[in-house]
Amino acid sequence: MFNIEKFKEELSKYGLTLETYDKIITDIDSKIDGENDYDWSEIKDKYGINCNSDTIRKSSSTPFGGKMRSEYEKYKAGLNQNVSENSELDVKIQELRREKIKLSDARVEYNKLIRQEARKESYADMVKRIICENVEPMNIPVHYTLFNSSTDLLAHLTDIHTGIEIHNWKNDFDSDILKQRIEKFTSDILDIRGMHQSENCYLVIGEILSGIIHNNLRLQNNMDLMEQFKYVSELISAMLSRMANHFNHIYVYTTPGNHSRISPKKEEALDGENMDILLPFYLKARMQNFENITICSNNIEPEIAMFNIRGNNIFAAHGHKDSPSNVVQNFTMMFNIKPDIVLLGHRHTNGLTTVYDTKVIESGCVSGSDQFALSIRKVNRPEQTVSVIGDNGLICLYDIQLN
């Protein structure tokens, strides 16, 4: 049953009374019907409504449309029925108005879907043009000898942030330093492989770009998105070609990060509009002549890599949607599979946590502390992790410092 007092309380949040509300609804209906030329901000200002004009326009969950308005219209219709012989006509008028509102909402959603599909198509065209037509496969001879071992390596290369330029008292970073750090990380992987005689390598890559998600990043970037993508993709290709001579097989996985979305505003970004997801396409084209390198896909959930190393279930995500304290529980409930090891990035520091016997490994940041990190008093050396995995899980974790 409709509670008019609660509805009045809801209106008061917007600085409105029932009398004012009825006038607003009349103006909204007239605008929808084309009987006035108000824009939404003018309606907001006219009545001093305490909300954003977009809230009035997208009214499905507010008093200006949808369920709340529908229930209020029914309430009014009931009152009118008691005092007017024309109540049946009034009800039909209100029903007609509700149908108009539903039609308007449906039209807005339909146009939104059309825009989304158009953006997806243009994004797919960009992928085809940049990768399929322009990337040449590497033709570097590979000489490796197959061998058996009791361990594999799990290397995590995350929060690379290609394109940002940093010069502060804590850190220096640019495209040349990025190249040096990835080369050092590659050397450390090969050194660890030598110490443990590890057979295969599983490389998880996440958040390759600095991106455009914050204004301060735009100011510090010295490359546009495509320049960032092409530069780091070539660095990773060189890294893989160097490692190919030292492992039986290399498996590469990608976990998309928040920096790599192509829209600055999170609420405007569509699923799949992320530069990180282009990396596997690029690497498949570039590394197609390397028989011992497999570029893997995230077949179940695009943002989560799921694979197995020597009987151990490995899950990896960038970490901007996960917390080390609950990621094990969430993944177990989502997939009905308990992970043995979870890899996360995003927090820019190396770390190891045990949650219900699952090892949650966090890897740091290749670029190191930028101006934003300094401003919130959080600084850390650029670092990554390499894990040695055996039949019983994590044998040891290497804390790799990149400078």
Side-chain angles (χ1 to χ4, degrees):
M1 184 175 180
F2 183 74
N3 189 323
I4 188 62
E5 295 304 321
K6 286 188 177 180
F7 187 72
K8 289 179 180 178
E9 290 178 6
E10 183 67 20
L11 291 179
S12 67
K13 296 178 183 178
Y14 298 86
L16 303 176
T17 64
L18 279 177
E19 182 180 357
T20 310
Y21 173 73
D22 285 335
K23 295 177 180 178
I24 294 169
I25 292 303
T26 299
D27 278 353
I28 289 176
D29 288 345
S30 296
K31 173 178 175 55
I32 292 173
D33 294 337
E35 296 171 3
N36 68 49
D37 58 353
Y38 289 143
D39 61 36
W40 297 107
S41 61
E42 287 175 332
I43 293 177
K44 171 185 177 297
D45 294 337
K46 180 179 177 181
Y47 295 100
I49 305 173
N50 184 25
C51 69
N52 190 283
S53 58
D54 282 342
T55 302
I56 306 172
R57 178 172 62 85
K58 302 174 182 178
S59 55
S60 59
S61 60
T62 71
F64 307 107
K67 184 178 179 181
M68 277 193 280
R69 178 177 170 182
S70 176
E71 291 179 346
Y72 174 69
E73 298 287 3
K74 290 179 182 178
Y75 169 79
K76 283 180 61 179
L79 291 180
N80 292 336
Q81 187 174 11
N82 294 330
V83 298
S84 173
E85 295 180 356
N86 299 319
S87 59
E88 185 177 347
L89 178 60
D90 292 338
V91 170
K92 290 182 178 179
I93 291 173
Q94 299 303 330
E95 289 177 351
L96 179 61
R97 287 181 176 176
R98 286 197 296 272
E99 291 304 318
K100 284 184 178 180
I101 293 170
K102 291 179 182 178
L103 180 61
S104 176
D105 289 344
R107 185 166 57 246
V108 170
E109 289 302 315
Y110 178 69
N111 290 335
K112 180 181 177 182
L113 287 173
I114 291 175
R115 289 194 299 271
Q116 288 179 347
E117 290 304 315
R119 285 169 59 182
K120 287 180 180 179
E121 288 175 5
S122 63
Y123 192 62
D125 290 341
M126 182 181 68
V127 172
K128 181 178 180 180
R129 185 184 73 253
I130 293 170
I131 295 178
C132 299
E133 297 178 0
N134 297 326
V135 178
E136 296 292 335
M138 297 180 77
N139 289 303
I140 299 175
V142 176
H143 305 286
Y144 62 92
T145 302
L146 290 173
F147 62 95
N148 292 318
S149 169
S150 61
T151 65
D152 291 326
L153 296 190
L154 174 59
H156 199 188
L157 180 62
T158 185
D159 295 271
I160 303 171
H161 298 164
T162 308
I164 194 171
E165 188 164 327
I166 305 170
H167 299 289
N168 57 49
W169 62 268
K170 179 66 177 178
N171 180 41
D172 286 295
F173 184 77
D174 55 26
S175 58
D176 292 331
I177 295 173
L178 169 60
K179 184 174 183 292
Q180 294 169 13
R181 290 179 182 176
I182 289 185
E183 288 175 348
K184 181 185 184 302
F185 186 53
T186 307
S187 296
D188 290 338
I189 291 173
L190 296 180
D191 288 344
I192 295 168
R193 181 261 163 220
M195 286 186 284
H196 294 271
Q197 291 297 300
S198 299
E199 184 175 342
N200 305 300
C201 182
Y202 296 77
L203 176 64
V204 178
I205 305 169
E207 196 157 270
I208 58 177
L209 307 184
S210 171
I212 56 174
I213 64 170
H214 300 307
N215 286 334
N216 66 312
L217 287 178
R218 296 189 192 190
L219 293 174
Q220 295 176 83
N221 287 345
N222 63 358
M223 297 179 179
D224 64 29
L225 280 181
M226 289 314 305
E227 289 176 327
Q228 294 175 26
F229 174 79
K230 288 188 285 187
Y231 184 77
V232 70
S233 297
E234 279 303 300
L235 291 182
I236 294 172
S237 297
M239 174 186 185
L240 291 172
S241 67
R242 181 180 169 194
M243 292 169 57
N245 287 299
H246 301 273
F247 292 97
N248 279 5
H249 211 96
I250 300 171
Y251 302 89
V252 182
Y253 293 86
T254 303
T255 55
N258 56 309
H259 274 244
S260 298
R261 65 175 184 260
I262 68 174
S263 174
K265 294 183 179 180
K266 178 171 61 175
E267 61 273 14
E268 294 180 358
L270 301 178
D271 290 341
E273 284 193 342
N274 187 298
M275 297 294 288
D276 284 339
I277 68 170
L278 300 184
L279 182 62
F281 291 96
Y282 190 101
L283 294 179
K284 284 178 182 179
R286 201 76 170 101
M287 314 305 297
Q288 60 184 279
N289 292 335
F290 290 75
E291 295 181 358
N292 66 334
I293 295 179
T294 300
I295 312 301
C296 305
S297 301
N298 300 337
N299 295 320
I300 298 177
E301 170 54 48
E303 292 187 350
I304 303 173
M306 304 169 62
F307 51 98
N308 192 282
I309 302 178
R310 296 182 179 268
N312 300 282
N313 294 320
I314 315 295
F315 288 9
H318 176 61
H320 58 300
K321 298 180 179 179
D322 305 288
S323 166
S325 62
N326 62 25
V327 67
V328 175
Q329 301 93 308
N330 288 345
F331 283 178
T332 302
M333 295 299 291
M334 280 179 67
F335 303 110
N336 202 27
I337 301 172
K338 182 178 181 293
D340 298 295
I341 295 173
V342 175
L343 289 188
L344 297 176
H346 185 62
R347 291 166 183 82
H348 296 187
T349 57
N350 288 352
L352 173 63
T353 307
T354 302
V355 180
Y356 295 107
D357 295 327
T358 297
K359 301 301 180 183
V360 181
I361 301 171
E362 295 181 85
S363 293
C365 176
V366 176
S367 61
S369 300
D370 60 13
Q371 193 57 43
F372 177 74
L374 293 179
S375 71
I376 61 174
R377 310 296 189 263
K378 292 185 178 181
V379 297
N380 196 64
R381 291 176 63 185
E383 57 187 8
Q384 299 285 271
T385 63
V386 176
S387 305
V388 181
I389 311 296
D391 293 339
N392 293 321
L394 180 67
I395 294 175
C396 65
L397 176 66
Y398 282 87
D399 182 41
I400 306 297
Q401 302 300 305
L402 298 180
N403 67 356

